[in-house]
Amino acid sequence: MTTSIASGLKLCLRTPFAATTLANRFAGSPAIWRLCRNDPSTHLWQVGGPKSSVAVKVAGGESAALTLVRESATLRAMPAGNLRPLGAGSHLRPTDPIAWQITPWALGLTTWEAFRRLRESDQQGREQARAVAIETCRAVGRLHTAGWLHGTLDPHHVAHTRERGRVRLLSCVWATRAGKRTSDGYGGGLVHLLSPELASAIERSRGNGVLLNRPAEVYPLAAGLWWAATGTWPLAYHDYRGVGFDPQAKSRSHLRRIIASGNVPLAVPTVHSRPEFLAPLAAAMSPALSRRPTAHHLADWLNAIPL
């Protein structure tokens, strides 16, 4: 196995032989392994070769391994157009549980990366940002139409591939069918992008899962696009203190309670962030669920912006 790991880098997890063999076969020889994430409980590799490029995820420890097993099952059940496991396995021994998963590598920019020029005040990045935002909304809309919810939407979890403009939704570990509660331990993803009602539901659930709905997911969709466009959180972070935020607490639960209050206003757009682009996103973050558009309608709103 050829890798691009720097010498001396310590790995906490071993990649199972079955996963290594299968990934090398998909990639072709020579297969180049690049370590993209090296957390204590999870490794993510990109394995590329003359035949294809795949992602290999390895998780160790009871919680991480069971989460990866659940994600593999979810990916198999999700509607067509999303990533499908090319291979997955687990050995859930009480003393040394481990799981692995191989999926196609989504070659292309994430929504966050595609917005870089707009964040840097590059006028030529405006049209690309709008096109990518529309693609992102359409992808989420297709997921919702198929009766599914992603659960942890943010601009890093959407890849715009080179494959006929196909959009791939990533990090689907908490995805669930509409009308079904999320798995236990659900935390909602990036706290700053949560809708007030979902932040409240998570706090009330005490880790026992929540019932997601489309309006609650359109909110982080719009909030994530705001963040991608401006590089700042959609809520006025400096106003958090006015509703009891303690920056020293450093607790996701504490921050969720602040957002759940609904008392933190939207941030004031800066000149470079194009208020006309942010206006539809602000409307999609309305406190009233009935006033939020569907993901497809938000795409239409963005498409109507004169640039």
Side-chain angles (χ1 to χ4, degrees), residues 188-246:
L190 285 173
V191 181
H192 291 282
L193 306 184
L194 285 177
S195 66
E197 74 277 3
L198 184 53
S200 177
I202 293 170
E203 282 302 296
R204 294 195 310 270
S205 75
R206 299 184 181 276
N208 295 319
V210 301
L211 191 64
L212 298 175
N213 58 50
R214 294 179 186 178
E217 183 142 282
V218 167
Y219 185 105
L221 168 63
L225 292 173
W226 180 299
W227 180 39
T230 65
T232 59
W233 302 122
L235 297 183
Y237 191 86
H238 64 277
D239 286 338
Y240 284 16
R241 288 178 184 242
V243 289
F245 176 61
D246 178 7

Side-chain angles (χ1 to χ4, degrees), residues 7-292:
S7 60
L9 178 62
K10 294 182 179 179
L11 300 179
C12 302
L13 293 173
R14 61 174 179 81
T15 302
F17 178 75
T20 301
T21 302
L22 188 59
N24 286 340
R25 178 151 57 86
F26 281 127
S29 182
I32 307 300
W33 288 64
R34 181 172 67 90
L35 186 63
C36 303
R37 191 198 315 163
N38 182 22
D39 297 334
S41 61
T42 307
H43 289 170
L44 176 65
W45 300 86
Q46 180 185 10
V47 185
K51 292 171 61 177
S52 69
S53 184
V54 298
V56 179
K57 190 183 293 187
V58 182
E62 181 179 6
S63 177
L66 288 174
T67 296
L68 187 55
V69 170
R70 185 177 71 241
E71 181 182 28
S72 296
T74 298
L75 289 177
R76 292 191 187 98
M78 288 179 73
N82 292 288
L83 291 174
R84 285 280 192 274
L86 301 172
S90 64
H91 193 178
L92 303 179
R93 296 163 294 194
T95 57
D96 185 25
I98 194 165
W100 58 272
Q101 174 196 93
I102 299 176
T103 60
W105 186 268
L107 290 171
L109 298 177
T110 64
T111 297
W112 176 265
E113 292 166 338
F115 267 74
R116 178 183 60 81
R117 293 171 68 187
L118 182 64
R119 286 195 301 275
E120 295 176 353
S121 304
D122 185 338
Q123 296 299 313
Q124 296 182 357
R126 296 170 64 193
E127 188 58 48
Q128 179 188 18
R130 179 169 71 169
V132 165
I134 292 170
E135 284 185 354
T136 299
C137 292
R138 297 284 189 219
V140 175
R142 288 191 294 271
L143 185 71
H144 288 177
T145 300
W148 280 77
L149 296 146
H150 184 278
T152 56
L153 278 177
D154 75 47
H156 297 281
H157 290 170
V158 185
H160 303 263
T161 75
R162 303 167 190 169
E163 184 183 351
R164 300 178 183 176
R166 177 174 290 180
V167 179
R168 301 283 196 182
L169 299 178
L170 311 176
S171 298
C172 296
V173 64
W174 296 106
T176 186
R177 295 182 189 274
K180 183 178 179 181
R181 296 180 73 85
T182 63
S183 301
D184 292 350
Y186 174 71
L190 285 173
V191 181
H192 291 282
L193 306 184
L194 285 177
S195 66
E197 74 277 3
L198 184 53
S200 177
I202 293 170
E203 282 302 296
R204 294 195 310 270
S205 75
R206 299 184 181 276
N208 295 319
V210 301
L211 191 64
L212 298 175
N213 58 50
R214 294 179 186 178
E217 183 142 282
V218 167
Y219 185 105
L221 168 63
L225 292 173
W226 180 299
W227 180 39
T230 65
T232 59
W233 302 122
L235 297 183
Y237 191 86
H238 64 277
D239 286 338
Y240 284 16
R241 288 178 184 242
V243 289
F245 176 61
D246 178 7
Q248 300 301 317
K250 297 181 180 179
S251 163
R252 288 168 55 87
S253 180
H254 176 65
L255 185 51
R256 277 196 296 260
R257 290 194 297 271
I258 297 300
I259 292 174
S261 73
N263 294 326
V264 185
L266 283 178
V268 177
T270 58
V271 174
H272 86 273
S273 60
R274 299 297 165 188
E276 69 275 14
F277 181 84
L278 299 181
L281 303 180
M285 289 184 278
S286 169
L289 275 66
S290 61
R291 299 185 62 181
R292 293 179 197 163

